[in-house]
Amino acid sequence: MSQFTAQDHHYMTLAINLAANGMYTTTPNPNVGCVLVNNGEIVGQGYHKKAGEGHAEVNALAEAQDKAQGAVAYVTLEPCSHTGRTGPCAVALVEAGVSKVIAAMVDPNPAVSGKGLAILNQAGIETAFGLMQTQAEALNRGFLKRMRTGMPFIQCKLAASLDGKTALKNGDSKWITGPQARAQVQDYRSKSCAILTGADTILVDNAKMNVRYAELLEPPFPAEQLRQPIRVVVDSKHRLKPDLAFFQINSPIIILTTDLENNHHWPHYVQHLVVKELNGFVDLTDACQQLGKLGVNQLWLEAGHTLAGKFAELALVDEFIFYLAPKLIGASGQSLLQLPVLESMDQVYDLAIDEVSLIDSDLKIVASPKRV
């Protein structure tokens, strides 16, 4: 029999919904929500909005004020126990005099894991965890993976015709999919910590790879609150130049390369990140590990068939998002992914279909690799 009541589920649902409000802005921190309940009355609510600002618990306590005394706190993630840019939330809850804390899950961050609950228990505050853990984990797939493995959660977006072609033979691909599918891609980009592409995409399309907020069907915030994710580009051969459109937007850019090259004057927001070399190119596994160290939780991969294929071949992709347009391009078109030549069906890349939906007239398929 579950230790949690229907009311517990109700309040944790509210906390999870609150936490989701931060998914555009909290990077590199997790999305967290908190609801304070005293004698059946919600006395405080809060969510973490931005790194460096108040955590969910602190914001809820500020709203509740003295009504937090004796309240039950429902939190989507174990209250933190360490001091970073803000103080420890577990201590704040103790000082506020809450009677009980129910966390959806224990924080996988080694600096926290179990320590926040221990602080509460030592202060005589009852604790419990595991309520709606699956839903809470879904809020922070990137943060959880980075804490557990050091790697970001990588989503690979691919758009193609129904016969699996991404562009005409001459490279023309605007536009295979419709405006609603493209708007959804902008939403995915805006929720990511970083967007990764290859030098070929920048050179062939003169792509900017930024979030085009004007295309979103429902922009999440007023324009002054919006941010651009870090834009990351793989440039093993130093082919990119500062005059490209990609570099004209004043937002953080990381160029992944195997050695420093200083023949150009780069804008102040451009950083060169040297990673290991593999067969003359950037070692993508090392690159992802280094991005993880920089706090990248969620990495959005939007690249040509060569780079996307290499990510798939190396089993770096956690989730594929396919948009298939009701068009036929034919055998002369460019393929969806460049993968090694396979000799038998036992070698094919096996995927599990997680979602199928229609986005206007385009078919969307979300799939994840079946790990052996």
Side-chain angles (χ1 to χ4, degrees):
M1 184 176 176
S2 173
Q3 62 177 313
F4 303 115
T5 67
Q7 282 295 93
D8 290 333
H9 280 82
H10 170 70
Y11 294 128
M12 187 60 78
T13 298
L14 294 179
I16 287 172
N17 291 340
L18 279 169
N21 290 323
M23 63 177 56
Y24 295 91
T25 56
T26 60
T27 179
N29 290 356
N31 303 304
V32 183
C34 177
V35 174
L36 295 171
V37 181
N38 203 333
N39 292 321
E41 175 192 0
I42 296 176
V43 295
Q45 301 181 72
Y47 69 94
H48 183 43
K49 298 179 181 179
K50 190 176 181 180
E53 297 183 2
H55 288 190
E57 299 93 324
V58 171
N59 292 334
L61 289 170
E63 182 177 294
Q65 297 185 11
D66 59 353
K67 292 183 179 179
Q69 180 77 36
V72 178
Y74 295 86
V75 192
T76 58
L77 188 68
E78 175 187 3
C80 64
S81 59
H82 63 293
T83 299
R85 285 190 276 181
T86 59
C89 292
V91 173
L93 290 167
V94 171
E95 293 175 346
V98 301
S99 63
K100 183 176 183 178
V101 175
I102 299 177
M105 60 179 294
V106 173
D107 194 330
N109 184 347
V112 178
S113 189
K115 297 176 184 176
L117 295 175
I119 288 173
L120 296 166
N121 289 330
Q122 288 165 9
I125 296 172
E126 184 183 354
T127 62
F129 63 89
L131 173 60
M132 299 182 68
Q133 180 168 328
T134 300
Q135 295 90 325
E137 287 185 343
L139 284 169
N140 291 301
R141 294 186 298 177
F143 176 77
L144 297 179
K145 185 185 176 191
R146 183 169 67 87
M147 288 297 107
R148 290 164 177 163
T149 70
M151 300 275 280
F153 186 91
I154 301 175
Q155 294 173 296
C156 178
K157 171 259 179 180
L158 297 162
S161 59
L162 281 181
D163 56 346
K165 303 299 179 180
T166 61
L168 302 179
K169 184 178 181 179
N170 63 11
D172 184 14
S173 62
K174 293 185 178 179
W175 295 102
I176 288 180
T177 55
Q180 289 193 25
R182 297 200 300 273
Q184 191 173 88
V185 168
Q186 297 305 312
D187 190 64
Y188 274 116
R189 285 185 181 183
S190 65
K191 293 175 183 176
S192 301
C193 302
I195 300 165
L196 188 146
T197 193
D200 283 338
T201 297
I202 303 301
L203 292 169
V204 173
D205 299 336
N206 199 21
K208 298 176 182 177
M209 300 306 294
N210 61 312
V211 179
R212 301 190 295 272
Y213 280 104
E215 293 184 16
L216 289 179
L217 300 179
E218 296 182 17
F221 299 109
E224 63 271 14
Q225 298 181 31
L226 301 176
R227 67 172 180 92
Q228 287 292 338
I230 302 168
R231 288 173 294 145
V232 183
V233 58
V234 178
D235 186 19
S236 302
K237 305 300 180 183
H238 303 298
R239 292 182 293 156
L240 300 179
K241 304 294 185 289
D243 59 351
L244 291 164
F246 183 81
F247 299 104
Q248 305 314 305
I249 298 172
N250 186 347
S251 69
I253 292 173
I254 294 175
I255 299 177
L256 298 173
T257 183
T258 56
D259 60 85
L260 286 177
E261 188 259 11
N262 297 307
N263 294 333
H264 305 291
H265 179 69
W266 295 96
H268 66 89
Y269 46 84
V270 176
Q271 171 190 353
H272 284 76
L273 182 61
V274 178
V275 300
K276 293 178 182 177
E277 181 179 323
L278 183 64
N279 300 324
F281 295 94
V282 163
D283 183 329
L284 296 176
T285 302
D286 182 56
C288 291
Q289 289 170 341
Q290 292 208 41
L291 290 173
K293 290 177 182 177
L294 292 175
V296 173
N297 296 324
Q298 197 93 2
L299 182 62
W300 179 256
L301 173 62
E302 195 169 332
H305 68 290
T306 302
L307 184 57
K310 198 64 182 177
F311 266 84
E313 179 187 347
L314 294 171
L316 293 173
V317 178
D318 296 289
E319 184 175 79
F320 290 95
I321 300 175
F322 300 92
Y323 291 96
L324 301 179
K327 296 178 173 70
L328 298 174
I329 290 179
S332 64
Q334 297 184 12
S335 64
L336 189 65
L337 285 170
Q338 182 175 305
L339 295 169
V341 175
L342 306 179
E343 302 295 337
S344 72
M345 287 300 295
D346 292 337
Q347 298 174 312
V348 302
Y349 295 77
D350 209 2
L351 304 179
I353 304 297
D354 302 316
E355 176 193 332
V356 178
S357 58
L358 274 177
I359 309 299
D360 195 15
S361 60
D362 297 315
L363 179 65
K364 176 187 178 184
I365 300 174
V366 179
S368 52
K370 290 183 178 179
R371 306 298 187 192
V372 178

